[in-house]
Amino acid sequence: MMRVLVLGVSLLFLSSSVEAQTDTDRRLQRASQVFSEIMAAPDKGIPSDLLERAHCVVIVPGMLKGAFVVGAQYGKGFAFCRSSRGIGWSNPAAVRMEGGSVGFQIGGQETDIIMLVMNPRGMDRLMTSRFTIGGDASAAAGPVGRTTQAQTDAMMTAELLTWSRSRGLFAGISLNGATLRPAEQDNKDLYGRELNTRQVLTTRLPTPESARPLLAQLSRFSFTTSGPTEADRQIQQQQ
């Protein structure tokens, strides 16, 4: 009887541990996998010099796009910004991305999205309650390869650079018209209370265990900026 009781308690503990991993945790794991796979092929990934200059990174794994006459897109992901005086990255802020298109489309597909925020103005946009890519924030399709020697004016001035990966193909993509906003319930899963993007990116919070692999990947593939970022200045003002 005692052995049966011990076994029952062990199974209950195991079941609770599995349930403790939320959809948000699994999405973070998927985002880490997506970023790692893309950066594993330097000639076909995000140019390293752009990643080194980026103020923030947004990763939306498995964005769904389906349509019957009218298209629709929806996905959830995470935003990270430079922190600690340019050394390392902030905790992830959960975001949701929505967009639409009109045209004769039948079928659906799943696409991984990566965005780089290239300047402080773009970071400010990211921290608002909602912004439209290409409307509120200027955006351009990002280049692919080791470096960006052939930079265009759009790339040089864009607040956002955007890429997608679908069926193994990674390429720059236009996301004009899509909207990005906080996913406060997902932030609650990670931090125990509902927080918007600005609060997560500018507040010192315990790092979720499920975020550590992706933070390690970001640190591995990008150097640090010099001097405090805008997020750091806001943290200092709060202290």
Side-chain angles (χ1 to χ4, degrees):
M1 181 62 72
M2 182 59 69
R3 290 179 179 176
V4 172
L5 180 61
V6 171
L7 179 59
V9 171
S10 299
L11 291 175
L12 180 61
F13 178 79
L14 178 60
S15 176
S16 298
S17 299
V18 172
E19 291 177 357
Q21 187 183 52
T22 66
D23 288 341
T24 308
D25 293 323
R26 286 187 283 271
R27 194 175 300 114
L28 266 170
Q29 292 175 355
R30 175 58 181 158
S32 178
Q33 180 183 357
V34 166
F35 185 75
S36 177
E37 291 173 355
I38 288 172
M39 299 307 296
D43 291 331
K44 298 179 181 179
I46 298 173
S48 58
D49 54 340
L50 288 180
L51 189 57
E52 290 162 13
R53 287 160 42 200
H55 287 244
C56 305
V57 177
V58 180
I59 305 173
V60 182
M63 185 165 180
L64 296 176
K65 179 178 181 179
F68 186 87
V69 181
V70 177
Q73 301 178 88
Y74 177 79
K76 286 185 174 183
F78 306 93
F80 301 79
C81 291
R82 301 278 186 180
S83 64
S84 301
R85 298 182 180 275
I87 302 174
W89 294 86
S90 70
N91 281 326
V95 296
R96 54 194 179 103
M97 186 174 175
E98 301 165 351
S101 60
V102 178
F104 186 70
Q105 311 174 62
I106 298 177
Q109 62 182 10
E110 188 174 278
T111 304
D112 302 317
I113 301 293
I114 293 185
M115 293 180 279
L116 297 186
V117 179
M118 301 306 299
N119 54 43
R121 185 171 56 182
M123 181 187 294
D124 285 339
R125 306 285 193 194
L126 178 64
M127 293 187 186
T128 59
S129 59
R130 170 183 173 176
F131 76 89
T132 302
I133 299 172
D136 298 322
S138 61
V144 174
R146 290 181 180 271
T147 61
T148 54
Q149 296 177 353
Q151 293 179 337
T152 66
D153 290 340
M155 285 171 48
M156 293 293 290
T157 59
E159 296 169 25
L160 301 174
L161 296 177
T162 55
W163 292 263
S164 72
R165 184 182 70 164
S166 181
R167 298 177 182 175
L169 177 63
F170 183 69
I173 187 176
S174 173
L175 293 175
N176 287 346
T179 61
L180 204 68
R181 66 183 74 191
E184 296 182 355
Q185 183 58 49
D186 290 351
N187 282 331
K188 185 176 182 180
D189 290 340
L190 292 173
Y191 304 106
R193 56 193 172 103
E194 291 187 6
L195 299 165
N196 60 35
T197 303
R198 184 179 297 275
Q199 289 171 322
V200 174
L201 296 179
T202 62
T203 304
R204 299 192 187 280
L205 299 166
T207 300
E209 192 63 33
S210 55
R212 294 185 184 279
L214 183 47
L215 285 167
Q217 292 290 336
L218 287 171
S219 297
R220 174 186 175 191
F221 288 107
S222 63
F223 292 105
T224 57
T225 59
S226 59
T229 65
E230 183 62 26
D232 297 312
R233 296 188 184 97
Q234 293 190 35
I235 291 175
Q236 292 167 5
Q237 290 173 1
Q238 294 171 4
Q239 294 176 339

